[in-house]
Amino acid sequence: MNILYYAPGACSLSVHIVLEWVGEPYKAVRVNYADPEYHKLNPAGQVPTLDIGDGTLLTQCSAILAYLAKTHPEATLAGNKTPFGQADIGRWSAFFTGDVHPAFFPLFMPQRYTTAEDDAALAKVRSAGVALVRKRLDLLEAHLIGRTYIVGGSRTYVDAYSVPMIRWASATIPGGLVDWPAVKVHHERMLADAGVEKAMRDEGLIKS
């Protein structure tokens, strides 16, 4: 049985969603980033971590998502099998890993990006983070116009990957997703998905 170590609302939510989508039993364990016991499993102190059932541990969200999709082909979450199809899903997975996710760091942890400690300096860092997130959403918006899913004609693990990050954007960007209607429609479609709803409820992100 797969065991997911997660923090509520973090990018590990995407793995939680995919575990629901593949339809096999799993266990989800909530962790504290600072817990020394958790650091024995993942020395980086990050989530997600996935025990694939025999004590073998996987870290890094994009790797875990791809692993689950490829080990459960019946769930059809890995995109088409052509070289271009695999490159395309890898491209969008990398977009969320390398472009979207880091864009939020100045918002969530502005102290990492300045030696100043005053509120005005930290506010400027957060403002720069907002601008960066907006640029990433612009790119996703342009791609999603006329599309139902991010890659191909059916849901893939990249759609699950988008859920926590677009949720952050909705909560932290002034006006929410109003400037990105295609992103908003896609996110609402994801939130209406039964597997997404179940994972979010289990993490305490929505009421039962």
Side-chain angles (χ1 to χ4, degrees):
M1 179 186 293
N2 288 308
I3 303 173
L4 168 66
Y5 296 90
Y6 77 95
C11 62
S12 51
L13 173 61
S14 61
V15 178
H16 206 158
I17 291 166
V18 167
L19 285 167
E20 284 292 324
W21 285 354
V22 301
E24 289 190 357
Y26 68 92
K27 182 178 180 181
V29 179
R30 180 173 177 169
V31 298
N32 183 328
Y33 293 107
D35 185 351
E37 290 302 309
Y38 180 59
H39 284 222
K40 293 178 182 178
L41 294 176
N42 186 336
Q46 299 172 343
V47 292
T49 299
L50 185 75
D51 181 331
I52 66 172
D54 60 0
T56 301
L57 300 175
L58 279 177
T59 62
Q60 300 298 332
C61 195
S62 58
I64 294 171
L65 291 169
Y67 167 80
L68 289 171
K70 291 176 181 179
T71 54
H72 298 83
E74 70 284 353
T76 63
L77 299 174
N80 75 58
K81 296 180 181 179
T82 66
F84 178 82
Q86 289 303 290
D88 197 32
I89 197 168
R91 169 173 70 121
W92 286 103
S93 181
F95 171 72
F96 283 102
T97 298
D99 294 328
V100 181
H101 195 177
F104 285 96
F105 294 166
L107 284 169
F108 297 154
M109 296 165 285
Q111 67 279 3
R112 285 187 176 183
Y113 299 93
T114 178
T115 57
E117 298 179 358
D118 59 286
D119 291 342
L122 295 177
K124 288 181 179 179
V125 173
R126 292 190 186 96
S127 180
V130 168
L132 189 55
V133 172
R134 292 183 64 90
K135 289 180 180 179
R136 303 305 184 236
L137 292 175
D138 287 346
L139 294 171
L140 184 60
E141 174 74 13
H143 175 72
L144 278 173
I145 292 172
R147 299 175 184 267
T148 302
Y149 300 100
I150 296 173
V151 177
S154 61
R155 70 184 185 187
T156 68
Y157 69 82
V158 173
D159 294 295
Y161 206 1
S162 76
V163 172
M165 296 180 222
I166 304 306
R167 184 172 176 271
W168 303 340
S170 181
T172 60
I173 301 301
L177 301 177
V178 67
D179 291 335
W180 304 279
V183 173
K184 186 174 186 289
V185 167
H186 176 269
H187 188 57
E188 289 174 346
R189 182 179 297 113
M190 291 297 101
L191 295 181
D193 178 274
V196 175
E197 185 178 355
K198 173 68 162 52
M200 291 182 64
R201 185 181 299 111
D202 288 351
E203 294 194 10
L205 303 175
I206 55 176
K207 294 181 179 180
S208 301

